[in-house]
Amino acid sequence: MYEQISHTLLNDILNRIKPEISQQDLRHFYTRLGANFYGIHSLFERLYGKRDDFAQQAQHLVETMAQQYIRRPEKLRQLDLAREKDYNWFLSQQLVGMALYCKGFAGTLQGLQERLHYFQELGINLVHVMPILRCPEGSSDGGYAVSDFREINPEVGTLEDVQALSAEMKKRDILLVLDVVVNHTSNKHYWATRAKAGEKKYQEYYYTFKTRNIPDMFEQSMPEVFPETAPGNFTWDEEMGRWVMTVFNDYQWDLNYSNPAVFIDMLNVVLFWANQGADILRLDAVAFLWKKIGSTCQNEREAHLLLQLMKDCCQVTAPGVVFIAEAIVGPVEMVKYFGEDAVIAKECEIAYNATYMALLWDAVATKNARLLNQGIKNLPVKLERATWLNYIRCHDDIGLGFDDRDILQCNYEPARHRKFLIDYFTGKFDDSHARGLPFGENAKTGDARISGSLASLVGLEYALEIEDDNAIRDAIKLILLLHSMIMSFGGLPLLYYGDEIGTLNDDSYRDDPYKKGDTRWVHRPSIDWEKAERRQTPGTVEYEIFTALKRMIAVRKEIGVFADFNNRELIEVENPHLFVFGRYQLQKVQKEVLVVGNFSNKPQHLNLEDLGSWGTKDRPLVDIYRGESPDLFKNSLVIPAFEFYWLCETV
């Protein structure tokens, strides 16, 4: 929209823009800049308008966007134009992803490129390559303590390898997801080393203080992220002679986004990786971007303004790129990362559905879907042109951040229920076959989170050890049940590498002095490719899981109602062991799929007459996953233990 003040500033900026920029062909850039500049100016002024150097910083912002547009390869510019027309491209049911560590999956980026056929065999067409940037050895936080935002970890390859991987993936129609760690840097980053050397400019890139007075004020309201291994939120740096804010680990320095130079430099990093061929950028730790005394320093309003500004700027330079918000927070806060007071997403188009993940694990432990139904009932509706990223496992731990009110609604006592879940998944509960490990134990509160691979958490490790065929079968059924839930729920399903072949816990991390204190490494394996080859051998665990998931992915891609357009209806049923929802097409309501999951270790039944129209269908029902009719007795659907159905009418 046209607004006089902002467009006067834009005219001034364009009149002063550097000749090496103005002499370029910037046709599409100028069109997008004009369309977005009112929003960009409004946000930038709200965040930084009181500064004396506001006009200078605004000039720098626009020139940064323009320089990265000039560097953007022509093929990516053409892709931008195509995605501007097909603006719902990332909502398609055709997309199925996998997250992996390059080193653990294939050793190097070149090795990963050589393994692309593996994704195609399974049906994966979106690959999240977790952090591959240079980090200090021994203090990398799994790649999230970056010492250089443009330099690849030499153990996995080079920037040219990333470009080659991206090009080959595009030939195969596989999307590339890369991380940008936006909240902090390593204490070995160039900015941090200059700050340590006493340069005031770079000390202002972080939150640094001469005395403990201000840090102590912050500490009164800030929770601890890693109370066991990194208590507190500030670290004394002897070289700099100042306290520095370190919310995660003492070697990760939080960036000071109240300084516009930080925002512009980090936007430059985001656009740099967009130009290397990333289709989707995962923005790490976005909930922590703005710090304010007297608050938890999480989910602040200004953090959302920063993301809106970053999104607007990216839409000018690289509009074909979308953002994932890595914010593992409660559902009410989570939906805000799509954008508040909006109809379409204006911050991040994709957000982790951590609530759904945790609720699924609750259903596994309790063998009922009471809390799962209650929690999903209270999951806020997402915006249009936004989607959930649904997952079972990831590189991180499993948090139990359920809403206490939901737990109470299910007649559980919150503290005791969480204690039960921790005991269950760490194998301390009598009937549990799970082999998880506690992570982030808080001695003050008794809270903990859970580490462990999917297969080990559902009992496959235990079953294989005792060579119990029935227990092995149940564990495999649970693995498939959980995947059926993320494939059909609505959103982008993201598998975790190794889960597709039943990879167990990897205890070798205990022998690494840099990893042994972090139990999350138990589920960050190096893939055993000899074991993976057994996916071709009928009768093996690897074959059973891989083949079933391959079929599930293929069926999902054929089912239009699994695309994500807020077209899901939760169906509450009397049987507490069942999780039931319907998927439908907005334009053709008669095209429906009924999803039914049984989390009990015993068969359950469901009276279709209690489901409204589903009890009066004109034609018989078919399970589209298996291609056969489900078991029915007098209009009562029978669901075997740990099984699921994707049901629709026969044609």
Side-chain angles (χ1 to χ4, degrees):
M1 64 177 286
Y2 178 80
E3 191 277 328
Q4 191 169 359
I5 295 175
S6 62
H7 282 268
T8 297
L9 176 61
L10 178 57
N11 286 333
D12 290 342
I13 289 172
L14 296 180
N15 286 334
R16 293 193 301 266
I17 205 161
K18 296 175 180 176
E20 60 266 29
I21 295 174
S22 62
Q23 292 169 6
Q24 302 288 327
D25 178 5
L26 299 175
R27 181 182 35 155
H28 293 299
F29 175 82
Y30 285 143
T31 301
R32 295 173 188 140
L33 181 62
N36 284 276
F37 194 73
Y38 171 68
I40 290 172
H41 171 261
S42 298
L43 292 164
F44 201 68
E45 183 180 46
R46 184 166 175 182
L47 289 163
Y48 308 116
K50 294 181 180 179
R51 293 177 59 104
D52 293 338
D53 62 348
F54 174 76
Q56 177 186 343
Q57 295 287 357
Q59 182 82 27
H60 184 31
L61 176 67
V62 172
E63 290 182 348
T64 297
M65 288 188 284
Q67 287 164 342
Q68 289 292 2
Y69 177 80
I70 291 167
R71 296 177 187 133
R72 190 154 177 77
E74 182 58 29
K75 285 186 177 180
L76 297 182
R77 291 193 196 181
Q78 293 303 314
L79 187 59
D80 290 336
L81 295 173
R83 288 179 177 167
E84 282 180 315
K85 292 178 182 178
D86 182 20
Y87 48 80
N88 285 329
W89 62 271
F90 57 91
L91 304 181
S92 170
Q93 83 282 0
Q94 297 281 338
L95 293 178
V96 180
M98 178 179 284
L100 56 86
Y101 277 106
C102 177
K103 196 172 178 182
F105 184 82
T108 65
L109 289 164
Q110 290 182 3
L112 180 55
Q113 186 172 331
E114 292 167 3
R115 295 279 185 189
L116 291 179
H117 64 87
Y118 181 80
F119 304 121
Q120 292 178 295
E121 180 185 346
L122 183 57
I124 297 297
N125 52 12
L126 179 153
V127 177
H128 173 199
V129 183
M130 286 186 288
I132 51 175
L133 299 184
R134 182 180 285 277
C135 297
E137 185 180 4
S139 54
S140 71
D141 188 29
Y144 291 95
V146 178
S147 55
D148 192 314
F149 283 115
R150 290 174 175 80
E151 190 172 339
I152 302 298
N153 175 359
E155 292 184 355
V156 299
T158 65
L159 187 59
E160 290 71 26
D161 292 334
V162 175
Q163 294 163 349
L165 175 66
S166 171
E168 185 60 29
M169 289 175 73
K170 283 179 170 50
K171 290 179 185 176
R172 298 173 184 245
D173 291 325
I174 302 174
L175 301 179
L176 174 61
V177 184
L178 294 176
D179 285 81
V180 178
V181 183
V182 289
N183 178 69
H184 47 260
T185 75
S186 162
N187 62 352
K188 300 295 197 319
H189 190 279
Y190 169 81
W191 301 336
T193 57
R194 298 291 291 270
K196 290 179 183 182
E199 293 190 42
K200 188 172 185 299
K201 172 184 174 180
Y202 290 102
Q203 289 180 355
E204 291 177 353
Y205 269 49
Y206 303 97
Y207 295 93
T208 71
F209 307 96
K210 288 183 178 180
T211 71
R212 276 291 308 191
N213 293 336
I214 296 176
D216 285 344
M217 284 294 299
F218 272 109
E219 292 283 20
Q220 290 183 35
S221 56
M222 290 179 70
E224 296 173 314
V225 175
F226 298 138
E228 184 182 25
T229 57
N233 291 282
F234 291 85
T235 299
W236 174 257
D237 185 82
E238 192 68 42
E239 187 177 347
M240 184 170 55
R242 297 175 72 90
W243 291 95
V244 60
M245 184 179 286
T246 54
V247 167
F248 289 88
N249 289 291
D250 59 8
Y251 52 80
Q252 289 167 298
W253 288 17
D254 284 59
L255 288 165
N256 175 15
Y257 276 92
S258 58
N259 178 354
V262 170
F263 174 83
I264 295 169
D265 274 351
M266 290 308 297
L267 172 66
N268 206 8
V269 170
V270 166
L271 297 178
F272 173 83
W273 287 107
N275 283 351
Q276 305 314 307
D279 300 282
I280 301 173
L281 290 172
R282 176 187 179 276
L283 306 183
D284 184 66
V286 293
F288 298 85
L289 291 182
W290 196 267
K291 311 302 195 291
K292 188 181 295 182
I293 285 178
S295 76
T296 62
C297 296
Q298 297 181 36
N299 305 308
E300 291 297 320
R301 176 62 179 155
E302 289 84 355
H304 292 286
L305 299 180
L306 287 166
L307 290 171
Q308 290 175 31
L309 180 57
M310 195 169 284
K311 176 82 272 181
D312 282 352
C313 293
C314 189
Q315 285 180 331
V316 172
T317 299
V321 173
V322 299
F323 291 164
I324 297 175
E326 192 276 328
I328 310 304
V329 295
V332 173
E333 290 297 332
M334 187 64 255
V335 295
K336 295 178 183 178
Y337 288 92
F338 294 130
E340 291 190 88
D341 307 319
V343 175
I344 62 171
K346 62 179 183 181
E347 290 185 28
C348 298
E349 292 89 345
I350 307 171
Y352 282 85
N353 200 347
T355 298
Y356 187 41
M357 179 273 298
L359 290 169
L360 287 171
W361 282 109
D362 182 89
V364 169
T366 61
K367 296 181 174 56
N368 72 66
R370 284 191 290 171
L371 186 56
L372 174 56
N373 276 290
Q374 180 64 31
I376 294 302
K377 187 164 58 177
N378 292 327
L379 185 70
V381 177
K382 67 172 183 63
L383 301 180
E384 296 177 21
R385 289 175 60 191
T387 194
W388 293 114
L389 194 154
N390 299 314
Y391 63 108
I392 305 163
R393 290 299 294 114
C394 68
H395 71 286
D396 252 331
D397 52 274
I398 299 171
L400 305 175
F402 316 114
D403 192 310
D404 283 356
R405 291 167 295 184
D406 288 336
I407 299 176
L408 290 166
Q409 283 289 321
C410 297
N411 297 318
Y412 298 136
E413 195 283 317
R416 289 181 61 189
H417 189 64
R418 289 192 178 91
K419 179 67 165 59
F420 155 72
L421 293 173
I422 294 167
D423 287 348
Y424 182 91
F425 286 114
T426 55
K428 296 177 183 176
F429 189 74
D430 284 347
D431 294 328
S432 170
H433 297 161
R435 291 289 179 84
L437 299 170
F439 173 76
E441 289 180 290
N442 190 325
K444 302 173 190 173
T445 64
D447 289 340
R449 291 162 349 235
I450 298 155
S451 297
S453 75
L454 167 60
S456 293
L457 288 172
V458 299
L460 183 58
E461 183 176 341
Y462 162 87
L464 290 170
E465 283 179 1
I466 66 170
E467 299 180 343
D468 184 328
D469 289 341
N470 290 331
I472 291 171
R473 186 179 65 250
D474 282 349
I476 291 173
K477 287 167 70 174
L478 265 173
I479 289 171
L480 300 181
L481 170 62
L482 290 169
H483 279 97
S484 79
M485 294 294 105
I486 66 169
M487 295 276 188
S488 58
F489 185 74
L492 202 165
L494 186 71
L495 285 68
Y496 186 61
Y497 79 122
D499 288 353
E500 77 285 359
I501 52 172
T503 300
L504 306 178
N505 283 349
D506 180 3
D507 292 325
S508 64
Y509 79 97
R510 301 177 193 271
D511 300 324
D512 187 325
Y514 296 133
K515 296 177 180 177
K516 64 181 181 181
D518 187 343
T519 62
R520 291 174 300 177
W521 286 103
V522 80
H523 57 255
R524 297 172 179 175
S526 293
I527 294 297
D528 181 344
W529 285 102
E530 288 186 13
K531 172 183 167 68
E533 284 302 313
R534 296 203 290 267
R535 73 188 186 278
Q536 312 290 359
T537 306
T540 64
V541 167
E542 294 78 12
Y543 176 87
E544 295 298 326
I545 298 173
F546 191 92
T547 304
L549 289 179
K550 181 177 178 179
R551 178 181 180 83
M552 198 182 296
I553 291 169
V555 172
R556 168 190 157 85
K557 291 181 178 181
E558 296 297 320
I559 308 303
V561 297
F562 285 168
D564 192 14
F565 294 99
N566 281 331
N567 53 332
R568 179 187 64 252
E569 177 189 13
L570 181 66
I571 302 173
E572 296 187 70
V573 298
E574 290 186 2
N575 190 325
H577 301 287
L578 302 180
F579 184 51
V580 183
F581 55 89
R583 302 300 310 278
Y584 56 89
Q585 283 190 10
L586 298 175
Q587 294 81 12
K588 299 177 181 178
V589 180
Q590 68 273 22
K591 289 199 172 183
E592 300 173 293
V593 172
L594 182 71
V595 178
V596 183
N598 176 14
F599 284 87
S600 172
N601 58 352
K602 295 179 174 59
Q604 301 295 320
H605 67 90
L606 176 64
N607 190 342
L608 292 177
E609 292 177 358
D610 294 339
L611 303 185
S613 64
W614 284 98
T616 57
K617 292 294 184 183
D618 295 331
R619 292 179 291 274
L621 296 177
V622 63
D623 174 16
I624 53 178
Y625 168 70
R626 296 171 182 84
E628 58 188 33
S629 298
D631 291 320
L632 284 166
F633 180 75
K634 293 183 178 180
N635 218 29
S636 190
L637 180 70
V638 176
I639 311 100
F642 301 139
E643 287 284 10
F644 69 94
Y645 288 131
W646 291 348
L647 299 173
C648 70
E649 286 186 280
T650 56
V651 178

